[in-house]
């Protein structure tokens, strides 16, 4: 290594490290949002079944996903529920919708 090349590894590391940290943060945020979407979809399914049985989906959704907005959407013989909540890791709005046969067991 010549005298002119001294410190080049340090400079390359200083440039590459923030990029690696940024990519890692983006990946972890994506995984967090995907997990939140799965929980929201499960909560929407439970809320739809609760509504179909004559229960209160608002209380269930508030317990499972705090801060979620609940919209009841009846469609013929189906009792549908749509949940909407802001993602915690990214500036996104997550929505999940599920239906259940009204009066079903």
């Amino acid at each position: 290594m010549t005298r002119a090349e001294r410190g080049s590894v340090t400079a390359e590391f200083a440039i590459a490290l923030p990029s690696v940290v940024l990519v890692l943060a983006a990946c972890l945020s994506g995984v967090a949002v995907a997990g939140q979407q799965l929980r929201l979809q499960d909560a929407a399914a439970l809320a739809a079944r609760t509504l179909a049985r004559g229960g209160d989906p608002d209380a269930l959704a508030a317990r499972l996903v705090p801060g979620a907005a609940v919209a009841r959407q009846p469609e013929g013989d189906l009792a549908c529920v749509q949940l909407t909540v802001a993602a915690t890791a990214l500036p996104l709005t997550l929505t999940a919708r599920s239906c259940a046969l009204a009066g079903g067991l």
Side-chain angles (χ1 to χ4, degrees):
M1 180 164 30
T2 65
R3 190 163 183 65
E5 293 176 355
R6 289 188 75 204
S8 64
V9 173
T10 304
E12 291 169 2
F13 182 73
I15 291 172
L17 185 63
S19 300
V20 170
V21 169
L22 182 64
V23 169
L24 182 61
C27 289
L28 291 176
S29 296
V31 168
V33 169
Q36 188 178 11
Q37 178 66 39
L38 287 172
R39 285 190 301 276
L40 188 66
Q41 187 62 49
D42 288 344
L46 286 171
R49 286 193 296 265
T50 300
L51 178 62
R53 292 178 181 153
D56 182 21
D58 297 322
L60 177 69
R63 195 172 70 241
L64 295 175
V65 185
V70 180
R72 299 172 188 208
Q73 302 170 335
E75 291 183 9
D77 290 342
L78 298 176
C80 299
V81 173
Q82 179 173 327
L83 301 180
T84 305
V85 69
T88 55
L90 295 173
L92 299 172
T93 300
L94 303 177
T95 302
R97 186 171 185 271
S98 187
C99 298
L101 186 60
L105 296 174

